[in-house]
Amino acid sequence: MGVVTVIFAVFVGALILFSLVSYYIPIPLWLTATFAGVPVGLDKLFGMRMRRVPPDRIIHPLIKAHKADIQLTSDQLETHYLAEGNIDKVIDALIAANRANIELNFKRACAIDLAGRNVKDAVMMSVNPKVIDVTNIVGTALDGIQLNVKVRITVRANISRLVGGATEETVKARVGQGIVAEIGSSKSYKDVLENPDKISSRVLDMGLDSGTAFEILSIDVADIDVGKNIGAELQATQAEADMRLAQAKAQERKSMAEAKEQEMKALAQEMRAKVIESEADVPKALAESLRTGKMGFMDYYNLQNLQADTTMRDSIGGSSKKGI
């Protein structure tokens, strides 16, 4: 039993030692790289393990690049990996760019990848342009007619501006702004309907892709719908506002007239009250004049006759007016 135990312990120890050596010095991976024509030393593989870099994540992309005739070193790939880059996408993008004769070096590809963009998709978009649909572009011509426009923008990625270039949303916004401006400068909506290509060509000539990560190849008007008559609506709104203003002024004048009439009535009542008050003082004044001798009885009778004659004349005048 003792000998068997020793042999078993030695076997387990050897197995553990072999596993450790194979982990830190991956000989199968070294053989794969050697036979693929990518010379890499065992010390390199050991160093990657010590730096906590999986050797297969470096060696396999390196072999792929070597087969595509792209000369790179393991140090370059390891540096990008340690910067938390995606080595596989970078190598795939370099291979695609090389096949399509697109100028793209490893440094720029790594910068694009670290900027958060999919460098492989960017290269594919350079080869196969992308169509962006922009809907609900609403513009109003000078005659007040509103137009709803849908356009299709054909773009391809601009590799040199992928780092720091504006995104797809900026292209949409700029094209929409350009379409609205061109419609707004048209004298009639009919001009836009008759020649939509002129609108799109003028917008294309504005250089709206400046500072973006794309190159605009074409802007095509897909559909135009006639919308509201904004001019007529504005005129109707203005007419209604003018009418309300006139009504308000008329009501103000009416209120002022009614107030003036009430004021005149109050003044007339005040004057009538004073007249009645004065008439009430007449008998007292007559009595005082008779008592003091300032007026004789004959004067009083003459005054009464004058009043009676005046009353009669007023009665005759009132009857004559009614007859008329």
Side-chain angles (χ1 to χ4, degrees), residues 278-307:
S278 300
E279 289 178 348
D281 292 337
V282 171
K284 295 180 181 180
L286 290 175
E288 182 65 22
S289 297
L290 291 174
R291 187 177 65 78
T292 57
K294 293 180 179 180
M295 179 183 288
F297 284 101
M298 292 303 297
D299 295 330
Y300 176 72
Y301 286 127
N302 289 333
L303 181 60
Q304 291 292 325
N305 290 332
L306 180 60
Q307 288 179 347

Coordinates of all heavy atoms in Angstrom, one line a residue, residues 278-307:
S278 N -86.7 126.0 -5.7 CA -86.8 127.5 -5.9 C -88.3 127.8 -6.0 O -88.8 128.9 -5.5 CB -86.1 127.9 -7.2 OG -84.7 127.6 -7.1
E279 N -89.1 127.0 -6.8 CA -90.5 127.2 -6.9 C -91.2 127.2 -5.5 O -92.2 128.0 -5.3 CB -91.2 126.2 -7.8 CG -90.8 126.4 -9.3 CD -91.4 125.3 -10.1 OE1 -92.0 124.3 -9.5 OE2 -91.3 125.4 -11.4
A280 N -90.7 126.4 -4.6 CA -91.3 126.4 -3.3 C -91.1 127.7 -2.5 O -91.9 128.0 -1.7 CB -90.8 125.2 -2.5
D281 N -90.0 128.4 -2.9 CA -89.7 129.6 -2.2 C -90.5 130.8 -2.8 O -90.5 131.9 -2.2 CB -88.2 129.9 -2.3 CG -87.4 128.9 -1.5 OD1 -88.0 128.3 -0.6 OD2 -86.2 128.7 -1.8
V282 N -91.1 130.6 -4.0 CA -91.8 131.7 -4.6 C -93.0 132.3 -3.8 O -93.1 133.5 -3.5 CB -92.3 131.3 -6.0 CG1 -93.2 132.4 -6.6 CG2 -91.1 131.2 -7.0
P283 N -93.9 131.4 -3.3 CA -95.0 131.9 -2.5 C -94.5 132.6 -1.2 O -95.1 133.6 -0.8 CB -95.7 130.6 -2.1 CG -95.5 129.6 -3.2 CD -94.1 129.9 -3.5
K284 N -93.4 132.1 -0.6 CA -92.9 132.8 0.6 C -92.4 134.2 0.2 O -92.6 135.1 0.9 CB -91.8 131.9 1.1 CG -92.2 130.6 1.7 CD -91.0 129.9 2.2 CE -91.4 128.5 2.8 NZ -90.2 127.7 3.3
A285 N -91.7 134.3 -1.0 CA -91.2 135.6 -1.4 C -92.4 136.5 -1.7 O -92.3 137.7 -1.4 CB -90.3 135.4 -2.7
L286 N -93.4 136.0 -2.4 CA -94.6 136.9 -2.6 C -95.3 137.4 -1.3 O -95.6 138.6 -1.2 CB -95.6 136.1 -3.5 CG -95.2 135.8 -4.9 CD1 -96.3 134.9 -5.6 CD2 -95.0 137.1 -5.7
A287 N -95.4 136.4 -0.4 CA -96.0 136.8 0.9 C -95.2 137.9 1.6 O -95.7 138.8 2.2 CB -96.2 135.6 1.7
E288 N -93.8 137.6 1.5 CA -92.9 138.6 2.2 C -93.0 140.0 1.5 O -93.0 141.0 2.1 CB -91.5 138.0 2.1 CG -90.5 138.9 2.8 CD -90.7 139.0 4.3 OE1 -91.4 138.2 4.9 OE2 -90.2 140.0 4.9
S289 N -93.1 139.9 0.1 CA -93.2 141.2 -0.6 C -94.5 141.9 -0.3 O -94.5 143.2 -0.2 CB -93.1 140.9 -2.1 OG -91.9 140.4 -2.4
L290 N -95.6 141.2 -0.2 CA -96.9 141.8 0.2 C -96.9 142.4 1.6 O -97.5 143.4 1.9 CB -98.0 140.8 0.0 CG -98.4 140.4 -1.5 CD1 -99.4 139.3 -1.5 CD2 -98.9 141.6 -2.3
R291 N -96.2 141.6 2.4 CA -96.2 142.0 3.9 C -95.4 143.3 4.0 O -95.7 144.2 4.8 CB -95.7 140.9 4.7 CG -95.7 141.2 6.2 CD -95.2 140.0 7.0 NE -93.8 139.7 6.7 CZ -92.8 140.4 7.3 NH1 -93.1 141.4 8.2 NH2 -91.6 140.2 7.0
T292 N -94.3 143.3 3.3 CA -93.4 144.5 3.5 C -93.8 145.6 2.6 O -93.1 146.7 2.7 CB -91.9 144.1 3.2 OG1 -91.9 143.5 1.8 CG2 -91.5 143.0 4.2
G293 N -94.7 145.4 1.7 CA -95.2 146.5 0.8 C -94.4 146.7 -0.4 O -94.5 147.7 -1.1
K294 N -93.5 145.8 -0.7 CA -92.7 145.9 -1.9 C -93.5 145.5 -3.1 O -93.2 145.8 -4.3 CB -91.5 144.9 -1.9 CG -90.5 145.3 -0.8 CD -89.3 144.4 -0.8 CE -88.3 144.8 0.2 NZ -87.1 143.9 0.2
M295 N -94.7 144.9 -3.0 CA -95.6 144.5 -4.1 C -97.0 144.8 -3.6 O -97.4 144.4 -2.5 CB -95.4 143.0 -4.4 CG -96.3 142.6 -5.6 SD -96.2 140.8 -5.9 CE -94.6 140.8 -6.7
G296 N -97.8 145.4 -4.5 CA -99.2 145.7 -4.2 C -100.0 144.5 -4.6 O -99.6 143.6 -5.3
F297 N -101.3 144.6 -4.2 CA -102.3 143.6 -4.5 C -102.5 143.6 -6.0 O -102.7 142.5 -6.6 CB -103.6 143.7 -3.8 CG -103.5 143.3 -2.3 CD1 -103.3 144.2 -1.3 CD2 -103.5 142.0 -2.0 CE1 -103.2 143.8 0.0 CE2 -103.4 141.6 -0.7 CZ -103.2 142.5 0.3
M298 N -102.5 144.8 -6.7 CA -102.7 144.8 -8.1 C -101.6 144.1 -8.8 O -101.8 143.4 -9.8 CB -102.8 146.3 -8.5 CG -104.1 147.0 -8.0 SD -105.6 146.1 -8.5 CE -105.6 146.2 -10.3
D299 N -100.4 144.4 -8.3 CA -99.2 143.7 -9.0 C -99.4 142.2 -8.8 O -99.0 141.4 -9.7 CB -97.9 144.1 -8.3 CG -97.7 145.6 -8.5 OD1 -98.1 146.1 -9.6 OD2 -97.0 146.2 -7.7
Y300 N -99.9 141.7 -7.7 CA -100.1 140.3 -7.5 C -101.1 139.7 -8.4 O -100.9 138.6 -9.0 CB -100.5 140.1 -6.0 CG -100.8 138.6 -5.7 CD1 -99.8 137.7 -5.6 CD2 -102.1 138.2 -5.6 CE1 -100.1 136.4 -5.3 CE2 -102.4 136.8 -5.3 CZ -101.4 135.9 -5.2 OH -101.7 134.6 -4.9
Y301 N -102.2 140.5 -8.6 CA -103.3 140.0 -9.6 C -102.8 140.0 -11.0 O -103.1 139.1 -11.8 CB -104.5 140.9 -9.4 CG -105.3 140.6 -8.2 CD1 -105.7 141.6 -7.3 CD2 -105.7 139.3 -7.9 CE1 -106.4 141.4 -6.1 CE2 -106.4 139.0 -6.7 CZ -106.7 140.0 -5.8 OH -107.4 139.8 -4.7
N302 N -102.0 141.0 -11.3 CA -101.4 141.0 -12.7 C -100.5 139.8 -12.9 O -100.4 139.2 -14.0 CB -100.6 142.3 -12.9 CG -101.5 143.5 -13.0 OD1 -102.7 143.4 -13.4 ND2 -101.0 144.7 -12.7
L303 N -99.7 139.5 -11.9 CA -98.9 138.3 -12.0 C -99.7 137.0 -12.1 O -99.3 136.1 -12.9 CB -98.0 138.2 -10.7 CG -97.0 137.0 -10.7 CD1 -96.0 137.1 -11.9 CD2 -96.2 137.1 -9.4
Q304 N -100.8 136.9 -11.4 CA -101.6 135.7 -11.5 C -102.2 135.6 -12.9 O -102.3 134.5 -13.5 CB -102.8 135.8 -10.5 CG -102.3 135.6 -9.1 CD -101.8 134.2 -8.8 OE1 -102.3 133.3 -9.3 NE2 -100.7 134.1 -8.0
N305 N -102.7 136.8 -13.5 CA -103.2 136.8 -14.8 C -102.2 136.4 -15.8 O -102.4 135.7 -16.8 CB -103.8 138.2 -15.2 CG -105.0 138.5 -14.4 OD1 -105.8 137.6 -14.0 ND2 -105.3 139.8 -14.1
L306 N -100.9 136.8 -15.6 CA -99.8 136.5 -16.5 C -99.6 135.0 -16.5 O -99.4 134.3 -17.5 CB -98.6 137.3 -16.2 CG -97.3 137.0 -17.0 CD1 -97.6 137.4 -18.5 CD2 -96.1 137.8 -16.5
Q307 N -99.6 134.4 -15.3 CA -99.4 133.0 -15.2 C -100.5 132.2 -15.8 O -100.3 131.2 -16.5 CB -99.3 132.6 -13.7 CG -98.0 133.0 -13.1 CD -97.9 132.6 -11.6 OE1 -98.9 132.3 -11.0 NE2 -96.7 132.8 -11.0

